[in-house]
Amino acid sequence: MRIAHCAVNSPFDDAICLKSSFALGRARATETVTITSCRVSGYDEGSLLDGTFKRTVADKGGPTGRIKLGTESFGGFRNIEVSNCVFEHSRGLAIMSVDGGPIEDVRVTDITMRDIVNAPIFVRLGTRVRGPGDTLAGSIRHVRISRVTADDVGTDQGVLISGVPGHAVEDLRLSEVRFAFRGGGAPEDAALEPPELESDPPEPARFGRLPTYGLFARHVKGLEIHHVELRWLKDEKRPAVRLDDVDGADLHDVRTQRLPDLVTLVLRKVRDFRIHDSPGIPDRRVANVESAAF
């Protein structure tokens, strides 16, 4: 299936959304889908067509208008490609498995985002499990996200990648991306502990303000962050990156903006960690750390 050359404005719901529910009475994956050269947005209804691009919608934390895999995900998703798309005045890209299905082999490339109300990238493995009674947690693995630019991203959430205890997002690579956030996080925000929300409907806003402005990753196995730039427009008192319960993390050429005397990176229960060739951060490798910040 191919979705191409579409302009979809949807302030109150997702603009382009793939699903794989239990509607057929059995698990059947949504697979081999390409979404390319599309423009999605959450402007007021009718204002994309008339060219006024009105921005008054404040539905549950802001307009929707995004590209999303899920939330209905019982059958899973395989071989999905999203490329050459533009997000404007909307939520960010969402990849969600919360109903027991696998998400595998997802490629996202060449994405431009402007005026994003919350997480520009949201990857969520949860245990809502909307399916037969014996359904177990699903999986997310082999996800590649590259060449993404996002400007004017909301303050509360940066990139958010989260599994749940005992069920990790696996083998995720984020590379060649640049994010510019509105900033303005307070010093006390750095101490925030986002809730797990294991069985809740997944949505970035439900996690509240995150303790980092750029990237928060929790319950992940195999995380690669390469050639990433994280910036803010208004002074940020939060760290750029925090990793919680991450097994195997390689950070290379991570460029962050920070105020003097503030830490850039926070680690909690992290194993097999490496950062190298990142300006302002000494190269280091850690086999196992309960808590660290630098």
Side-chain angles (χ1 to χ4, degrees), residues 21 51 90 98 120 174 188 211 215 217-218 236 273-275 277 282 287 292:
S21 71
S90 68
V98 296
L174 184 65
E188 58 269 24
L215 183 146
R218 180 169 61 186
E236 261 294 351
F273 168 84
R274 182 189 182 204
I275 186 166
D277 301 311

Side-chain angles (χ1 to χ4, degrees), residues 209-230:
R209 179 164 291 190
L210 297 179
T212 56
Y213 75 83
L215 183 146
F216 179 82
R218 180 169 61 186
H219 310 309
V220 181
K221 183 177 182 180
L223 177 65
E224 296 182 30
I225 308 292
H226 296 170
H227 308 297
V228 170
E229 183 177 352
L230 305 172

Side-chain angles (χ1 to χ4, degrees), residues 93 95 108 121 123 143-148 173-175 177:
L93 174 75
I95 300 172
V108 179
I121 296 172
V123 180
V143 176
R144 302 290 181 264
I145 300 172
S146 63
R147 298 196 297 274
V148 179
R173 180 187 298 164
L174 184 65
S175 62
V177 302

Side-chain angles (χ1 to χ4, degrees), residues 134-151:
D134 59 350
T135 301
L136 302 176
S139 60
I140 298 178
R141 58 173 64 97
H142 313 322
V143 176
R144 302 290 181 264
I145 300 172
S146 63
R147 298 196 297 274
V148 179
T149 299
D151 289 302

Side-chain angles (χ1 to χ4, degrees), residues 14 25 28 32 46-48 73 78 81 93 96 123 131 139 152 155 162 166 193 203-204 208 219 250 253 263 286 293:
D14 303 307
R28 181 172 179 178
T32 317
S47 68
L48 177 66
S73 50
R78 294 189 180 92
E81 181 176 338
L93 174 75
M96 309 175 180
V123 180
S139 60
D152 194 20
T155 297
S162 183
E193 294 294 338
E203 193 60 52
H219 310 309
D250 187 273
D253 188 24
V263 301
V286 180

Side-chain angles (χ1 to χ4, degrees), residues 10 58-59 132 197:
S10 180
D59 178 54
L197 304 176

Side-chain angles (χ1 to χ4, degrees), residues 18-239:
L18 306 184
K19 295 184 180 291
S20 61
S21 71
F22 190 57
L24 297 176
R26 58 188 174 90
R28 181 172 179 178
T30 295
E31 54 189 335
T32 317
V33 178
T34 296
I35 302 170
T36 188
S37 303
C38 292
R39 176 185 179 185
V40 296
S41 57
Y43 297 115
D44 292 9
E45 291 177 318
S47 68
L48 177 66
L49 290 175
D50 66 18
T52 58
F53 305 108
K54 295 178 181 177
R55 309 182 185 204
T56 64
V57 171
D59 178 54
K60 298 177 182 177
T64 311
R66 64 188 165 192
I67 296 174
K68 183 176 82 171
L69 278 61
T71 305
E72 299 289 344
S73 50
F74 176 74
F77 304 90
R78 294 189 180 92
N79 300 321
I80 308 297
E81 181 176 338
V82 182
S83 65
N84 297 298
C85 291
V86 175
F87 292 61
E88 292 181 316
H89 188 57
S90 68
R91 301 178 193 183
L93 174 75
I95 300 172
M96 309 175 180
S97 174
V98 296
D99 292 331
I103 295 181
E104 299 176 346
D105 300 314
V106 176
R107 300 290 184 272
V108 179
T109 61
D110 298 295
I111 305 297
T112 299
M113 299 181 177
R114 294 183 286 267
D115 185 14
I116 303 302
V117 298
N118 54 31
I121 296 172
F122 179 49
V123 180
R124 174 61 167 169
L125 174 60
T127 52
R128 183 181 70 172
V129 192
R130 185 177 290 174
D134 59 350
T135 301
L136 302 176
S139 60
I140 298 178
R141 58 173 64 97
H142 313 322
V143 176
R144 302 290 181 264
I145 300 172
S146 63
R147 298 196 297 274
V148 179
T149 299
D151 289 302
D152 194 20
V153 179
T155 297
D156 285 346
Q157 295 99 22
V159 175
L160 175 53
I161 303 165
S162 183
V164 294
H167 302 282
V169 174
E170 300 179 59
D171 186 23
L172 187 146
R173 180 187 298 164
L174 184 65
S175 62
E176 297 179 71
V177 302
R178 183 187 65 80
F179 297 124
F181 302 92
R182 293 170 194 160
E188 58 269 24
D189 294 337
L192 292 170
E193 294 294 338
E196 291 283 358
L197 304 176
E198 298 178 42
S199 58
D200 284 26
E203 193 60 52
R206 289 177 176 267
F207 291 86
R209 179 164 291 190
L210 297 179
T212 56
Y213 75 83
L215 183 146
F216 179 82
R218 180 169 61 186
H219 310 309
V220 181
K221 183 177 182 180
L223 177 65
E224 296 182 30
I225 308 292
H226 296 170
H227 308 297
V228 170
E229 183 177 352
L230 305 172
R231 301 290 178 185
W232 37 256
L233 302 177
K234 185 178 179 182
D235 285 358
E236 261 294 351
K237 306 298 176 60
R238 295 173 292 177

